[in-house]
Amino acid sequence: MVLSYNIKDAFSEFVTQRDKILMDKPIRNIVIVGGGTAGWLTCAVLAAEHCAHSDKGIKVSLIESPDVKTIGVGEGTWPTMRSTLRKTGISETDFFKYCDASFKQGAKFAKWVTGADDDAYYHPLVLPQGFNEINLAPFWQPHADKVSFADAVCFQSQLCENGLAPKQITTPEYAHVANYAYHLDAGKFAQFLQQHCTEKLGVRHILDHVTAVNSAENGDIASLSTKQSGEIEGDLFIDCTGFKSLLLGEHYGIGFKSCKDILFNDTALATHVPYESEQSPILSHTLSTAQSAGWIWDIGLPSRRGVGHVYSSAHTTQNAAEVELRNYISNLIGEQKAAQLNVRKIEINPGHREKFWHKNCVAVGLSAGFLEPLEASALVLVELSAAMISEQLPATRGIMDIVSKRFNDKFSYRWDRIIDFLKLHYVLTKRTDTEYWIDNCRPETIPKDLQTLLELWRYQPPWHQDFTHVDEIFPTASYQYVLYGMGFSSIPPPTQRKSLNHALAQQHLKKNHQMTQKLVRGLPTNRDLIESIRQQGLQPAP
């Protein structure tokens, strides 16, 4: 009995010591599986921040199958991309030259309210004038029949309407006159990032097929077996394998949380549309035009337009959706040319994983989830994921469990807020011409948090204290632009509020009017500035 006890006690001590060694193991080796925009952008952020080129830095490897094609239609970014590119050491001039990039200053929504030809509103990227001082919504409301909310409080909608750029050629890289994001060719962007990562950031690029995922005794991923390169070991594995979700979904079996009961669109038809001439205007905003059972995106790049129809297969057929898409394109380039374009079908399962970081594996990009491309949330989620992984990169395996819980909590919240915000675009429509628009307004399809906010906003306009997180993914200004663009109105308060400073409001409204006139006169067109950047480049960022 004593002998048995000693063996059992020694084994228990061995296991405890082994687990302690594992938990104390430093995180030195990151393996990213999958290329595309998600893989290479995450790679760039981590390699730049953690000095992958140095012997003392973190080792970053990216395994990419030579046969798997990326989706490659994510052509819209948020303004955050400027900071991301700059931190990774990328020249904005080079980015424009190699990625077929253009400026994006927001989105224009056409036919979302009534479906009439003159039904349109803007969601610009510039905050309302004096946004940190005063809420201008109550002062605009009495004049809503004379001027749109966006035009009254912000100059950017008029820049978009006139096809103007957000800066001048003398404005340095990444600096701005008007806040801006980008439109880009996703395929070229991934190649550009790959070259930057491998040539300047010290990333190891492995072109090979992953044949097996090998587990450690504690359930972590110990290594990946590849067809030609043998076993690839790592301390942290990042799943960028797209909809397949090879590591988090297939290996770990982390469930998928669908939101198709809220956001109906589950299919997209995408194509590339040529310009009529080399001097055709380039839209400086995303144009989203509502259809019978979805909407059409129209994104202007220097060499072409990216156009696609995202729709609900429960409310229309593929043939009917393609007819609407080709009719839209016919108005751009003529019926004959529109009929000759090849259209690619992309199936969408709207939703996200139940959690995003499990054990020593975290999913980024499509492997974490995907929603319809309204408001271009896909690439910003990649940016935010990469940024948090980089900033919170655990020093040891033991600390990783703390970081992963915080990561899961934050991104569960972010996905929920994005779903709410996208649904907001549908629930205020006055369209009743198809079941699609009627169904979108049914209370059972509207998230409870959004219903609560809409009830609150009947009596007071959106403002800073309406949300609980400091780093909300959408500012209250975005809710204002969509709400009031869709014709939402609040009930006037029954009592006077001292905080309503009419003099300050009029000062800001007047200043916005003056800024609008000045910038419309002084800024170049979007195409002219892009051509100037390609020919002479922007001044380096200070």
Side-chain angles (χ1 to χ4, degrees):
M1 292 295 294
V2 174
L3 179 63
S4 175
Y5 173 80
N6 289 339
I7 292 174
K8 183 178 178 181
D9 190 51
F11 180 74
S12 177
E13 184 178 345
F14 167 76
V15 171
T16 302
Q17 186 66 23
R18 181 197 64 191
D19 290 346
K20 184 177 184 303
I21 292 171
L22 180 62
M23 290 297 102
D24 288 343
K25 182 183 178 183
I27 303 304
R28 300 280 300 160
N29 187 3
I30 299 174
V31 178
I32 300 170
V33 186
T37 306
W40 286 112
L41 190 58
T42 304
C43 189
V45 170
L46 288 166
E49 175 67 21
H50 296 278
C51 306
H53 65 281
S54 168
D55 292 339
K56 295 183 179 180
I58 296 290
K59 180 182 177 183
V60 180
S61 304
L62 187 145
I63 307 173
E64 184 176 27
S65 170
D67 299 333
V68 177
K69 293 184 178 179
T70 59
I71 298 296
V73 295
E75 297 185 323
T77 80
W78 282 19
T80 50
M81 186 62 76
R82 302 200 332 258
S83 175
T84 299
L85 295 180
R86 185 174 181 177
K87 287 179 179 178
T88 57
I90 288 173
S91 156
E92 190 176 30
T93 297
D94 290 343
F95 168 71
F96 268 90
K97 286 181 178 180
Y98 293 104
C99 300
D100 203 18
S102 174
F103 293 103
K104 171 189 171 183
Q105 297 188 73
K108 181 179 183 180
F109 297 91
K111 302 187 177 183
W112 282 74
V113 184
T114 64
D117 289 340
D118 62 349
D119 166 18
Y121 72 92
Y122 277 97
H123 175 196
L125 299 180
V126 167
L127 296 174
Q129 181 67 38
F131 186 65
N132 293 321
E133 289 184 77
I134 191 169
N135 190 340
L136 292 177
F139 304 97
W140 159 80
Q141 193 103 34
H143 311 286
D145 60 332
K146 299 181 181 63
V147 59
S148 72
F149 177 74
D151 280 348
V153 304
C154 169
F155 54 78
Q156 196 162 40
S157 52
Q158 283 303 306
L159 301 188
C160 293
E161 197 67 13
N162 287 277
L164 300 178
K167 62 197 287 184
Q168 297 166 321
I169 192 61
T170 54
T171 312
E173 290 190 333
Y174 300 119
H176 66 278
V177 175
N179 193 25
Y180 67 87
Y182 305 108
H183 289 142
L184 52 84
D185 183 308
K188 292 180 179 178
F189 185 42
Q191 292 173 0
F192 177 70
L193 289 170
Q194 173 189 323
Q195 184 176 357
H196 182 70
C197 286
T198 54
E199 294 182 2
K200 298 183 179 180
L201 298 181
V203 171
R204 179 190 179 197
H205 184 201
I206 304 167
L207 274 173
D208 208 340
H209 300 277
V210 174
T211 57
V213 181
N214 307 309
S215 298
E217 290 186 12
N218 68 341
D220 280 1
I221 297 174
S223 65
L224 302 173
S225 297
T226 61
K227 194 171 183 179
Q228 297 177 332
S229 308
E231 283 197 21
I232 310 296
E233 296 182 343
D235 303 317
L236 173 65
F237 291 83
I238 302 179
D239 187 346
C240 295
T241 59
F243 292 134
K244 183 178 179 63
S245 192
L246 175 65
L247 305 184
L248 193 72
E250 292 192 2
H251 175 69
Y252 279 122
I254 301 301
F256 188 84
K257 185 178 178 182
S258 173
C259 65
K260 196 174 178 180
D261 58 328
I262 301 170
L263 299 173
F264 306 150
N265 295 337
D266 60 0
T267 314
L269 302 174
T271 189
H272 295 165
V273 179
Y275 286 111
E276 287 189 304
S277 75
E278 292 183 356
Q279 296 306 313
S280 294
I282 301 173
L283 294 178
S284 63
H285 57 275
T286 301
L287 177 56
S288 303
T289 305
Q291 303 296 311
S292 63
W295 55 276
I296 288 175
W297 75 77
D298 190 343
I299 289 176
L301 303 183
S303 64
R304 60 168 174 83
R305 298 167 84 139
V307 181
H309 187 182
V310 60
Y311 62 92
S312 167
S313 63
H315 293 86
T316 191
T317 64
Q318 181 178 338
N319 287 340
E322 187 170 337
V323 167
E324 288 187 330
L325 176 61
R326 293 193 187 275
N327 286 341
Y328 179 92
I329 298 171
S330 294
N331 292 326
L332 303 177
I333 60 174
E335 187 175 344
Q336 184 176 359
K337 290 181 179 179
Q340 296 172 349
L341 294 177
N342 292 323
V343 173
R344 182 158 61 113
K345 180 181 178 181
I346 303 165
E347 294 183 352
I348 299 168
N349 185 12
H352 57 83
R353 295 286 160 186
E354 292 174 353
K355 60 179 175 177
F356 313 99
W357 195 325
H358 181 68
K359 297 289 186 179
N360 65 336
C361 171
V362 56
V364 175
L366 299 179
S367 57
F370 184 70
L371 305 173
E372 60 172 280
L374 193 70
E375 296 289 2
S377 60
L379 284 182
V380 77
L381 280 168
V382 173
E383 286 185 85
L384 292 171
S385 298
M388 186 168 180
I389 295 168
S390 180
E391 179 189 309
Q392 299 281 310
L393 188 67
T396 67
R397 175 60 186 86
I399 296 299
M400 188 181 293
D401 292 336
I402 298 173
V403 174
S404 65
K405 183 183 184 307
R406 292 160 62 88
F407 186 94
N408 287 328
D409 290 345
K410 182 175 283 289
F411 278 88
S412 292
Y413 180 84
R414 282 174 166 168
W415 279 90
D416 285 346
R417 296 293 74 74
I418 293 173
I419 291 168
D420 285 355
F421 188 65
L422 298 191
K423 187 64 174 181
L424 179 67
H425 294 67
Y426 294 95
V427 300
L428 301 176
T429 186
K430 297 179 178 63
R431 292 185 62 158
T432 57
D433 51 309
T434 66
E435 288 299 314
Y436 174 83
W437 294 103
I438 295 171
D439 287 347
N440 261 300
C441 295
R442 297 189 190 279
E444 61 268 24
T445 74
I446 305 173
K448 296 298 182 184
D449 286 347
L450 179 58
Q451 290 187 36
T452 300
L453 287 171
L454 287 170
E455 182 63 20
L456 174 67
W457 293 334
R458 288 181 60 215
Y459 297 94
Q460 60 193 61
W463 202 228
H464 302 311
Q465 302 302 322
D466 293 347
F467 298 95
T468 58
H469 285 52
V470 174
D471 58 344
E472 286 290 338
I473 195 159
F474 290 100
T476 50
S478 291
Y479 289 86
Q480 290 185 340
Y481 285 131
V482 175
L483 279 172
Y484 302 131
M486 294 290 293
F488 186 86
S489 59
S490 302
I491 298 171
T495 58
Q496 186 175 0
R497 297 182 66 170
K498 187 178 179 181
S499 61
L500 294 180
N501 189 329
H502 288 268
L504 181 60
Q506 292 307 312
Q507 177 184 330
H508 282 302
L509 291 170
K510 181 179 179 181
K511 183 177 181 181
N512 179 66
H513 180 69
Q514 293 170 340
M515 284 289 293
T516 302
Q517 292 182 316
K518 178 182 178 182
L519 294 177
V520 167
R521 289 195 303 265
L523 288 170
T525 68
N526 204 26
R527 181 173 286 281
D528 284 346
L529 179 55
I530 293 167
E531 289 300 322
S532 295
I533 293 172
R534 289 182 161 191
Q535 291 171 13
Q536 64 188 81
L538 291 163
Q539 299 176 31

